[in-house]
Amino acid sequence: EAQVTQNPRYLITVTGKKLTVTCSQNMNHEYMSWYRQDPGLGLRQIYYSMNVEVTDKGDVPEGYKVSRKEKRNFPLILESPSPNQTSLYFCASSITPGSYEQYFGPGTRLTVT
Amino acid sequence: GQQLNQSPQSMFIQEGEDVSMNCTSSSIFNTWLWYKQDPGEGPVLLIALYKAGELTSNGRLTAQFGITRKDSFLNISASIPSDVGIYFCAGGPFSGSARQLTFGSGTQLTVLP
């Protein structure tokens, strides 16, 4: 089944404790991205990747890192999480960077205390 | 940056009723997309529109790309309980990259039996 998977689905952590949220897609998509969703603000892009080893900042990159060592994986790293990073996170992929039609993962709900 | 105004923010309707929601922008878009997010899941693409004036259907859903290129509408006919969720619009500019999608803040739909 074609899908985007994220792990974990739920995470509660404390300020400053490094964490990684994994994202994997099995559709051989070139383009992958991370969004955060906050009430009343819609989806805001954190980072995106046009292809392996090609990543760039989105609209709200502060406090986040990403890597794209393999085509299928695009982990999101929070080196020192803070409470304002409490949010619902979505990974998405599309077949090429030029395609608007993205497939989203199921989401990761992160709480930072 | 570009902003999308999506309305209404929430709707409570009776099963069987028709639903209308819309998105407006201060900028011209080349593409309009409509997504649905079920509770606890990631957004799923419902309809993609690529041409001003285009009217596209997907089952009981119909979406239109406004002539001015600054708005789009989504209609759901004969609503059923499984229509419950958050509906998002997204607009893409002429340059054609998923990186440049702008998302609306969503319409929360509740269908009452």
Side-chain angles (χ1 to χ4, degrees), chain A residues 9-10 31 35 37 40-45 48 50 57-59 88 90 94 96-107, chain B residues 9 30-31 33 35 37 40-45 48 50 86 88 91-101 103-106:
Chain A
R9 293 290 310 273
Y10 302 90
Y31 181 88
Y35 294 89
Q37 184 180 41
L41 294 178
L43 289 162
R44 294 182 293 167
Q45 191 174 58
Y48 65 96
M50 298 285 202
K57 296 177 180 178
D59 298 317
L88 180 58
F90 289 104
S94 61
T96 66
S99 171
Y100 284 124
E101 299 180 25
Q102 295 188 87
Y103 295 80
F104 284 83
Chain B
Q9 285 188 325
N30 191 41
T31 299
L33 307 168
Y35 285 86
Q37 184 178 3
E41 300 294 331
V44 173
L45 182 64
Y50 296 102
I86 304 175
F88 289 99
F94 283 95
S95 51
S97 167
R99 151 73 186 104
Q100 291 159 305
L101 277 177
F103 286 85
S105 55

Side-chain angles (χ1 to χ4, degrees), chain B residues 70-89:
Chain B
K70 292 185 177 182
D71 54 12
S72 180
F73 307 86
L74 177 69
N75 296 312
I76 305 172
S77 63
S79 58
I80 59 178
S82 62
D83 290 334
V84 165
I86 304 175
Y87 292 80
F88 289 99
C89 63

Side-chain angles (χ1 to χ4, degrees), chain A residues 29-98:
Chain A
H29 283 177
E30 289 184 1
Y31 181 88
M32 299 185 74
S33 63
W34 276 102
Y35 294 89
R36 61 178 290 174
Q37 184 180 41
D38 301 291
L41 294 178
L43 289 162
R44 294 182 293 167
Q45 191 174 58
I46 303 170
Y47 267 94
Y48 65 96
S49 171
M50 298 285 202
N51 213 323
V52 176
E53 301 291 3
V54 182
T55 64
D56 210 343
K57 296 177 180 178
D59 298 317
V60 288
E62 292 77 22
Y64 305 95
K65 285 175 57 177
V66 294
S67 69
R68 187 94 181 271
K69 293 184 170 55
E70 306 164 281
K71 199 171 189 178
R72 63 184 292 127
N73 297 323
F74 191 44
L76 180 69
I77 303 156
L78 284 73
E79 295 270 4
S80 183
S82 61
N84 65 11
Q85 292 179 298
T86 292
S87 188
L88 180 58
Y89 291 87
F90 289 104
C91 180
S93 72
S94 61
I95 189 163
T96 66

